Amino acid sequence: MTPPPVLVAFESRFGATAEVARVVGEELAARGHAVSVRRTSEVLDPTPYGAVIVGAPVYSRRWLESASAWVRAHGESLRGRPLWFFALGIRVPDGPHANERHTVRLLRRLHHLVPGIEPRRIGLFAGRVNPAIVGLREQLQLRVFRPRTGDFRDWDKIRDWSRGVAEELGSAAPASARSVSTR
Ligand SMILES: Cc1cc2nc3c(=O)[nH]c(=O)nc-3n(C[C@H](O)[C@H](O)[C@H](O)COP(=O)(O)O)c2cc1C
């Protein structure tokens, strides 16, 4: 019997987290899991999925609210399902503005997002800041904040984390189930 697919649900304002979600999906698929990579807004019901990974960027010290809202809205269905979170930011440990207090607060918030829901692990990855592609509001924030700009994503670290998730998911599905669906 084919095991149920794994859902990689993501939110992303300017595409950096979307690309990471795709790579997480690729790594799981390479290990035999059927994977579906979708924006959280496209997932009306996570019940058909055997395991769920939710990824979103951090803006103004918080995981993007739409991702938190999705987890809260589906708390009932996510409870008891293998669950992982990941977050992209620049204040996370490998980011150019690593900040321990910020990281600790972020992890605590994510662990306690919904009572009774406990992600197995939370991946924290450095993200991308490109002032040329963000909106006016973000440009104003960046003018105050003046972060180092660039693409700080460490693909080896992201792939390693994804392989860890694949291992925790247990034995791989049959080769015939290998696929990444983005629709
Ligand atoms: C206006 C603005 C505010 C941000 N605030 C934070 C923050 O508080 N903490 C952090 O770690 N990263 C922060 N970041 C960095 C983003 O999390 C990072 O750029 C991320 O890769 C964006 O992902 P996306 O392209 O998927 O939206 C901020 C970026 C911008 C543009």
Side-chain angles (χ1 to χ4, degrees):
M1 208 182 84
T2 308
V6 177
L7 173 66
V8 183
F10 68 91
E11 274 303 325
S12 178
R13 275 200 189 152
F14 301 104
T17 313
E19 288 168 9
V20 170
R22 247 168 263 134
V23 167
V24 172
E26 271 171 32
E27 287 294 330
L28 297 179
R31 276 149 196 86
H33 298 282
V35 184
S36 187
V37 181
R38 302 254 190 293
R39 268 189 192 273
T40 54
S41 54
E42 292 172 3
V43 183
L44 303 180
D45 180 13
T47 310
Y49 299 95
V52 178
I53 300 162
V54 189
V58 178
Y59 281 95
S60 303
R61 301 191 178 135
R62 288 174 182 271
W63 215 36
L64 208 58
E65 176 51 31
S66 44
S68 304
W70 186 85
V71 173
R72 273 189 227 106
H74 298 289
E76 209 47 57
S77 150
L78 295 175
R79 202 162 288 135
R81 218 168 283 272
L83 182 70
W84 291 262
F85 291 160
F86 68 85
L88 258 72
I90 50 175
R91 290 184 164 135
V92 299
D94 60 343
H97 298 269
N99 179 313
E100 203 183 319
R101 271 176 56 204
H102 172 266
T103 301
V104 169
R105 224 178 291 138
L106 179 66
L107 287 174
R108 198 176 300 137
R109 274 202 192 119
L110 289 176
H111 270 299
H112 299 295
L113 202 54
V114 182
I117 286 200
E118 185 73 12
R120 291 187 176 192
R121 255 174 337 114
I122 299 174
L124 295 181
F125 309 126
R128 177 181 68 191
V129 179
N130 179 355
I133 61 169
V134 301
L136 196 61
R137 191 175 51 148
E138 288 83 9
Q139 278 184 18
L140 291 173
Q141 279 175 271
L142 290 179
R143 243 181 252 172
V144 177
F145 178 38
R146 292 177 178 276
R148 255 179 68 201
T149 56
D151 190 347
F152 305 101
R153 289 170 297 176
D154 178 341
W155 295 106
D156 288 340
K157 181 181 169 185
I158 291 163
R159 287 187 187 277
D160 270 0
W161 184 82
S162 312
R163 281 193 284 272
V165 172
E167 271 167 31
E168 290 170 34
L169 273 167
S171 60
S176 60
R178 283 177 198 171
S179 65
V180 181
S181 147
T182 51
R183 280 192 300 141

